[in-house]
Structure formats: C-alpha cells, structure tokens
Amino acid sequence: MAVPRAPAAVTLYLFISVAAAVASASAVDFNYPAVFNFGDSNSDTGGLVAGIGDILDPPYGQTYFRRPAGRFCDGRLIIDFLMNAMDLPFSNSYLESVGAPSFLKGCNFAAAGSTILPATATSVCPFSFGIQVAQYFHFKLRVTELLTKGNKFKKYIPPADFFSRGLYMFDIGQNDLAGAFYSKSEDQIIASIPTILLEFETGVKKLYDQGARNFWIHNTGPLGCLAQNVAQFGKDPSKLDEYGCVSSHNRAAKLFNLQLHALCTKLQAQFVDANVTYIDIFTIKSDLIANYSRYGFEHPVTVCCGYGGPPLNYDSRIRCGQTKILDGSSVTAKGCSDATDYVNWDGIHYTDAANQFVSSQILTGKYSDPPFSDKMPFLLKLKF
C-alpha cells in the first residue's frame, strides 16, 4: 500500500525534528512490549463502531486505509503513529469481535464520545473511563485464564508479564468539557474539573493496584479551535481569539490541563516504582493552529470533509460522508481534494497529516514531563 504524501514542509520539519532527537538519544531502553490504551475518539481505533454499531461512511479512512477503519479520521490517529514509532502493530479495539483480532501487543479500550465522568442516558457513548477500566480488568482476567489452557491462544493474547511491562496510554477528557458547554456556564465547567479529575485519578490508581507501572497521559487540546465549537459558540466575533478559536473553550482546556498536570506530578511522587509521563498536546496543537503555514498546511480551522463552504465548511446537521435532505435539498458532506492541506478533518477530529505532525512533536520529548528526549532510540525506526 502506498503511503500518502505529507506536505513538503511537514516532511522537512519531521526530518529535522527526528534528526535532532536522534542526535541526543542515549542507550536508555524505551521499548514496551504492549500498549493498553484508554480514551475517546482521539485514540479510538474501532470501539464505538463495534460497540454500538455506529457507521462511518467513506471518505473516512481514505488517505491511508482506503476505507473506513473505525477511526474518526481520513487515516491514522496519533496512537497509530506512536505504535508505529515503537515498532508495534496498530492497536485493535477491545470491542471488535470479528476477524480474530490479535491482542498480543496490547488492547485499545478507547471509544469515540467517551467521557471521564460516568455516562448518562443522553451520553453519545456508554463506554466512559470507568467502564473502560472495568473492561481492562475483564480482559486481563480472561487472558490469565486462557494462558493456562495451552499454547493455542498465545499468538492472540499478551503474556502475563506484558501487563506490568506494558505502556498504559490515556487521552480522555475532551468530551467532558466540550459537552458541558451546551448546558453549563464556563464558571460551572471550571468548577467541575476537580470532580472530573478525581474520577480519572481513581481509575489510574485501580490500574496501578493491578500492576500497571508505565503511564503515558495526554492532556486535552484547544477545544475552541474545532469547527464544531466555532460554529456553535463563535457566532459572536467577540467570543473568538486572534486565531478564530472560541476563547471560553480554550480557557477551560488550559485550566483542565493545569490541574491534570498537577495530578500527574502527585502521582509521580506517590507511584515511586512507576513512570508517569504527562504529554502537553495542547501546546503542540495550538502551535500548529497558530503557525499552520509554517508546517505546510493551508487551513487551520476549516473542515476538509463537511458541508456549507467557507469559512468553516461545517454543518452540525450532517456528518462527513453522509447524504441528507437539508432545507428541501439533497446534499452530501464531501471530502476535500487534498486532506494534507487541512488540520481539521470533519469538524471535531484532525486529519492524518495533522496527526502525523502532532506525533512528530510528541516524539521529540520536549513536550513531556518528565522530558524523554534522551530515551528515544526507537526514533531510528520511525516510519513516517
């Protein structure tokens, strides 16, 4: 399968970033035998599609997989690039039952629409963080049982020691904030952040108590720069910042991240025999939005696959790939001619090209606490 081109500026930037990181790499081992992932659509590789029978129509998946592949993207997600960088296969969804999926190298419990707080009757997705953690416990129990039944399952499930040696990744919380803006004030949302993070801390501690020792935690991105939020909450220009993003959403995201970072610092002190790494996704994505042309993009907020035309090309009534009757006419939310020109794919999620850029920045190690640029020998294996 031919790998789609990245914008020329992005390709050059990735080369420079990788070269700089490799130059400073040491022999410290940064390899993990498996990854166990928890999250929302930013890292969902098929959970919601399999879990509730959600349907993604073309052109989802067109750039890399050539078909919808359970991801809310035209191609790969950040987790796909990170798995590739660690020389691990793409992560299979826990909820995918067809095709004998292999979980030898870990399992992905993420599902689009998930929140940290427990789901309610009106939630988009029932698989909130607590449910994902419970699914992990069931997965681990079943693996433990199957490992006692001989060798016939061993090519599909992880060895017992992978649960302690594996990397536990988290990218969740965006929907707790974004969804709350439809019914709560900014002050109410900010006041709810400690409760959200207490739920997150509870789940992480349960995993630690079960033997997890390597934690990789993404903060949340600039919600106010997503076309869905600009369309709904940015009708008044005074609500937008200099980049056309909704100020209130980004303020809430920053405060959430500040408290999440403090929680990670606390866990680093409490889990003395564990590694807790905090990844600043917000800064990476904000830099991309503010300096998009420097990185080879042409559209920082406008949607690639949507309906309505400039400036946003987004209509909440119709999802990417759908055909519907709107205002008496049949319309289709079509994909753009070249997704590599766009940061935003469908109004909520980033394009393959944007995810590739974000991943390259994560892998420099400069946006993490603690920094890990001296622990990156696997950068030599990058397959971007």
Side-chain angles (χ1 to χ4, degrees):
M1 178 184 296
V3 177
R5 73 172 181 88
V10 172
T11 303
L12 176 60
Y13 194 85
L14 292 178
F15 176 80
I16 293 171
S17 297
V18 170
V22 169
S24 64
S26 72
V28 178
D29 184 22
F30 195 81
N31 295 316
Y32 297 100
V35 170
F36 303 97
N37 184 72
F38 305 82
D40 51 33
S41 57
N42 289 311
S43 60
D44 178 6
T45 57
L48 189 69
V49 170
I52 67 170
D54 193 22
I55 297 175
L56 290 178
D57 298 303
Y60 278 100
Q62 68 174 13
T63 298
Y64 184 80
F65 300 99
R66 312 302 185 200
R67 59 175 177 77
R71 295 155 172 81
F72 287 76
C73 180
D74 62 310
R76 294 157 292 183
L77 308 177
I78 292 171
I79 186 175
D80 293 319
F81 287 107
L82 296 182
M83 297 293 286
N84 201 15
M86 290 186 281
D87 207 22
L88 293 173
F90 289 161
S91 184
N92 287 317
S93 171
Y94 169 78
L95 293 167
E96 183 57 76
S97 59
V98 179
S102 173
F103 300 109
L104 177 63
K105 299 294 186 177
C107 186
N108 191 355
F109 301 91
S114 293
T115 52
I116 292 175
L117 292 177
T120 66
T122 58
S123 296
V124 172
C125 173
F127 308 112
S128 56
F129 182 56
I131 297 297
Q132 292 180 28
V133 172
Q135 289 172 339
Y136 165 83
F137 291 145
H138 176 72
F139 174 83
K140 185 179 180 184
L141 178 62
R142 286 291 292 139
V143 167
T144 303
E145 293 172 352
L146 291 173
L147 287 173
T148 67
K149 297 183 181 297
N151 294 323
K152 69 176 183 176
F153 298 109
K154 288 190 175 180
K155 65 179 179 179
Y156 299 110
I157 57 177
D161 66 322
F162 280 18
F163 290 105
S164 59
R165 295 170 53 212
L167 182 64
Y168 290 74
M169 297 180 67
F170 306 86
D171 192 329
I172 194 166
Q174 175 174 318
N175 295 318
D176 291 88
L177 300 180
F181 271 99
Y182 287 87
S183 59
K184 297 179 180 179
S185 69
E186 181 181 350
D187 287 343
Q188 288 174 319
I189 293 167
I190 290 170
S192 73
I193 291 174
T195 301
I196 297 170
L197 290 179
L198 180 60
E199 182 76 11
F200 181 71
E201 180 181 5
T202 299
V204 170
K205 286 185 173 179
K206 286 180 179 179
L207 292 168
Y208 176 82
D209 290 341
Q210 283 285 322
R213 289 298 180 267
N214 301 298
F215 300 91
W216 176 285
I217 301 171
H218 290 185
N219 71 11
T220 200
L223 313 176
C225 300
L226 300 176
Q228 180 191 57
N229 294 325
V230 177
Q232 179 67 31
F233 300 98
K235 296 181 178 70
D236 180 352
S238 69
K239 304 293 185 182
L240 303 176
D241 65 15
E242 59 186 303
Y243 304 111
C245 304
V246 184
S247 299
S248 58
H249 284 60
N250 283 352
R251 283 194 297 266
K254 287 179 181 178
L255 289 169
F256 175 88
N257 292 337
L258 189 67
Q259 294 181 49
L260 176 62
H261 194 181
L263 171 59
C264 290
T265 301
K266 184 177 83 169
L267 294 177
Q268 287 166 354
Q270 289 182 352
F271 299 168
V272 293
D273 58 342
N275 299 306
V276 179
T277 305
Y278 170 86
I279 310 294
D280 188 4
I281 298 294
F282 186 97
T283 295
I284 297 172
K285 288 185 173 180
S286 295
D287 177 44
L288 175 56
I289 297 295
N291 302 293
Y292 62 94
S293 59
R294 178 189 304 173
Y295 303 123
F297 294 88
E298 296 182 12
H299 306 284
V301 179
T302 304
V303 173
C304 171
C305 185
Y307 173 75
L312 295 178
N313 193 37
Y314 178 80
D315 190 317
S316 62
R317 298 173 296 174
I318 182 169
R319 188 163 79 180
C320 169
Q322 289 183 333
T323 297
K324 281 187 174 181
I325 303 296
L326 295 184
D327 304 323
S329 300
S330 177
V331 300
T332 301
K334 299 178 180 179
C336 57
S337 59
D338 189 352
T340 64
D341 290 337
Y342 290 75
V343 171
N344 198 293
W345 168 243
D346 61 2
I348 307 172
H349 311 100
Y350 280 32
T351 60
D352 180 284
N355 286 331
Q356 178 177 343
F357 170 81
V358 174
S359 303
S360 75
Q361 295 305 287
I362 293 172
L363 291 170
T364 65
K366 298 186 299 182
Y367 296 93
S368 70
D369 179 18
F372 58 86
S373 58
D374 62 335
K375 302 177 182 178
M376 303 294 285
F378 68 81
L379 275 167
L380 294 168
K381 301 178 182 178
L382 273 175
K383 300 173 183 176
F384 288 147

